Amino acid sequence: MWDKNDWQQFFAIANRRWHRHLPPRPVYLSGAKRVLPAIGFSLSELDDVGINVEAAERLGLPVDAGRIGAYGPNVSALREFVRSARQPG
């Protein structure tokens, strides 16, 4: 059974600022030179960064196995996110 100190500790932890970065949103280039939001990152983008599907799901990254090809800005955003996620603090 939780007592008052346990609840205070729980709420102190729950109300802390979240220091991790939010996962980047994937985009793709449409035929009319427009950038549109994608469902998830393609497998080739994940491969270029050097992470597998299981690691991407652990990091909270959306994965779209149906997308083909790699879009450069997605790869750059993924690299930066993975680099910041691996650093402590």
Side-chain angles (χ1 to χ4, degrees), residues 1 4 6 23 25 40 52 71-72 79:
M1 185 105 181
K4 186 176 181 180
D6 292 332
R25 298 293 305 164
N52 56 12
Y71 185 52
R79 276 194 186 121

Side-chain angles (χ1 to χ4, degrees), residues 12-83:
I13 291 170
N15 290 329
R16 269 191 219 156
R17 273 188 75 99
W18 194 45
H19 294 290
R20 292 180 59 186
H21 298 283
L22 293 176
R25 298 293 305 164
V27 293
Y28 70 96
L29 194 61
S30 73
K33 294 196 176 203
R34 291 177 43 187
V35 177
L36 298 174
I39 295 172
F41 293 102
S42 69
L43 298 177
S44 59
E45 289 169 345
L46 295 176
D47 188 42
D48 287 350
V49 175
I51 60 174
N52 56 12
V53 176
E54 291 83 19
E57 289 175 353
R58 256 193 324 259
L59 290 171
L61 298 169
V63 177
D64 184 11
R67 275 189 57 222
I68 299 172
Y71 185 52
N74 283 346
V75 175
S76 301
L78 268 176
R79 276 194 186 121
E80 191 166 322
F81 175 73
V82 169
R83 188 177 301 127

